[in-house]
Amino acid sequence: MEQDSPCTAERELLEAVSRITTSSTTSPSDEEENEPKAEISCQVRKENPEKDDMQDSSATLSPNSSMTTKELQEYWRNEKRQCKQIKLLFEIPSTRIVEHHLSKYVMYKIIILQTGSFDSNKSVIERRYSDFEKLHRNLLEEFSEELEDVTFPKKTLTGNFTEEIINERKLAFKDYLRLLYSMKYIRRSKKFIDFLTRPELQEAYGCLRGGQYTKALEILLEVIGLQERLTRGNPVAIVPTLCAIVVCHKDLENPASAFEYGEKALSRLCVHTSHRYYMPLLETMISLAYELGKDFLSLQEKLEEWKTKKDPVRVFTLKELAVREYVR
């Protein structure tokens, strides 16, 4: 995609600002329903992904009148990046047999990488047969028509641990994942994304709740790249993970790294000020900016502006929100 010239970018910003509705007398819930929608000519925006996919987003995707020029520029840069589809490749290069006292099963190593260029940030996860089986069963509840011609590898009464059967399933599961990803609504679905990320996120948040911040941070940093690629059309979806990384860095006394990830999270919430993470994140960012000697006045102004628009309610801290994620 060719890079816009400064004049073109400025013209886009001016046009965007002119479309923003600056006066509204509706209640906060009405504002979310009546907020103007950004005019983005992108197929990703025209399609409506599964509604569960957007559950973390409590406002529509459009700029608002309180955004600074820098924030508007960042907003439109993000929108342009989202129009560019990222294609992922799935490989299953190896397996391992796990034996416990009462069970024995095969773990399949799945490597997920971006096609079209050298991908140094490939993701590696492990799943067993029952995980694939559960995914297929869950997807059939909603996408039975799309999956009617898809053959899922069946269990056998004997020979499940022979090299021949394991190799057959390796190939079958690789083709199965590639096929699922090729279907737009399935690859955007919460069920598919959860299959690829939820076990790791549950482990990370469990470590966070237990005060194992180094281990939690290690897992979160591994999963955030994959999560971002899978939720490209819904950037707000990764805000909880970014905020969990902020919490870990903060408790590990790495304020600069915490601030860096906080900025990433805040940029995704600039048009989602009703999001449950918005105010706690602002409060944390103000504290970090003060600690680092950075300008915190603009953040303080945003916080005060938010408070004047909302009724006084009990607001959790960023850490309190984080430890409530993936409890079940």
Side-chain angles (χ1 to χ4, degrees):
M1 183 180 293
E2 296 182 2
Q3 188 173 359
D4 295 338
S5 65
C7 292
T8 304
E10 184 177 353
R11 193 159 54 247
E12 277 188 12
L13 285 172
L14 291 173
E15 291 173 357
V17 173
S18 68
R19 290 198 297 268
I20 297 171
T21 304
T22 57
S23 60
S24 175
T25 57
T26 57
S27 64
S29 60
D30 289 332
E31 284 178 358
E32 294 175 12
E33 295 176 2
N34 298 327
E35 194 170 300
K37 302 196 181 295
E39 297 176 9
I40 304 167
S41 57
C42 173
Q43 188 64 26
V44 172
R45 290 285 178 242
K46 291 179 182 176
E47 306 289 352
N48 290 323
E50 181 186 31
K51 63 182 179 180
D52 286 344
D53 225 8
M54 306 296 288
Q55 63 179 4
D56 285 330
S57 174
S58 56
T60 54
L61 295 177
S62 62
N64 60 57
S65 58
S66 63
M67 293 168 63
T68 64
T69 300
K70 182 179 179 182
E71 288 171 337
L72 276 170
Q73 289 173 333
E74 179 64 24
Y75 174 80
W76 289 115
R77 274 196 295 268
N78 285 335
E79 291 298 328
K80 288 177 183 179
R81 282 197 294 267
Q82 288 156 26
C83 292
K84 204 175 170 185
Q85 181 186 343
I86 286 181
K87 294 183 180 179
L88 300 181
L89 183 66
F90 298 85
E91 297 289 348
I92 303 181
S94 62
T95 61
R96 63 186 178 95
I97 296 176
V98 179
E99 293 190 63
H100 292 304
H101 179 61
L102 298 174
S103 65
K104 181 180 179 180
Y105 54 88
V106 179
M107 293 293 287
Y108 296 85
K109 181 180 181 180
I110 306 169
I111 296 179
I112 308 154
L113 61 159
Q114 182 178 335
T115 61
S117 62
F118 176 73
D119 189 359
S120 60
N121 297 316
K122 64 184 179 184
S123 301
V124 181
I125 60 176
E126 284 189 317
R127 298 293 182 267
R128 54 189 291 189
Y129 180 93
S130 59
D131 296 324
F132 283 96
E133 191 176 39
K134 182 181 178 181
L135 168 66
H136 190 67
R137 188 169 58 250
N138 289 340
L139 290 176
L140 281 174
E141 294 175 359
E142 190 169 356
F143 304 103
S144 57
E145 185 176 341
E146 288 85 349
L147 297 174
E148 62 182 355
D149 296 326
V150 176
T151 302
F152 186 81
K154 296 185 181 298
K155 276 187 176 180
T156 59
L157 294 176
T158 59
N160 284 304
F161 301 101
T162 64
E163 185 177 352
E164 181 183 1
I165 292 296
I166 290 175
N167 285 334
E168 284 180 1
R169 286 184 176 170
K170 274 171 53 180
L171 294 173
F173 285 143
K174 180 182 75 172
D175 292 340
Y176 178 69
L177 289 174
R178 289 182 175 184
L179 181 61
L180 293 182
Y181 186 76
S182 71
M183 301 179 193
K184 178 172 52 182
Y185 291 108
I186 290 182
R187 72 168 172 260
R188 293 181 185 176
S189 71
K190 185 176 183 298
K191 293 169 182 176
F192 181 67
I193 294 171
D194 277 354
F195 168 79
L196 296 170
T197 60
R198 189 175 182 87
E200 287 72 25
L201 287 171
Q202 284 178 321
E203 182 183 1
Y205 280 99
C207 291
L208 194 157
R209 281 188 288 274
Q212 298 175 279
Y213 302 116
T214 301
K215 179 62 175 175
L217 183 60
E218 178 185 333
I219 300 171
L220 290 168
L221 291 175
E222 286 180 0
V223 77
I224 187 70
L226 175 60
Q227 202 180 14
E228 186 172 15
R229 293 169 184 173
L230 291 168
T231 59
R232 189 77 172 194
N234 179 22
V236 178
I238 68 168
V239 165
T241 306
L242 287 170
C243 289
I245 292 174
V246 171
V247 170
C248 289
H249 274 306
K250 192 170 186 294
D251 282 358
L252 290 170
E253 298 183 355
N254 300 324
S257 296
F259 191 84
E260 176 189 347
Y261 280 92
E263 285 188 314
K264 293 179 181 179
L266 205 55
S267 71
R268 286 163 170 79
L269 293 180
C270 60
V271 293
H272 297 276
T273 57
S274 296
H275 196 282
R276 59 197 169 94
Y277 271 90
Y278 183 69
M279 183 175 176
L281 179 59
L282 271 180
E283 291 178 331
T284 300
M285 291 295 284
I286 291 170
S287 172
L288 288 169
Y290 182 80
E291 182 179 352
L292 293 167
K294 294 179 178 288
D295 175 32
F296 61 87
L297 293 180
S298 60
L299 294 169
Q300 187 70 49
E301 289 173 1
K302 290 180 185 296
L303 183 61
E304 295 303 323
E305 181 182 357
W306 188 92
K307 288 180 177 179
T308 60
K309 292 180 180 179
K310 302 291 179 180
D311 295 328
V313 292
R314 164 79 169 101
V315 178
F316 292 110
T317 66
L318 199 65
K319 187 173 184 178
E320 287 173 339
L321 277 180
V323 299
R324 282 168 168 76
E325 298 284 350
Y326 294 92
V327 173
R328 289 184 290 177

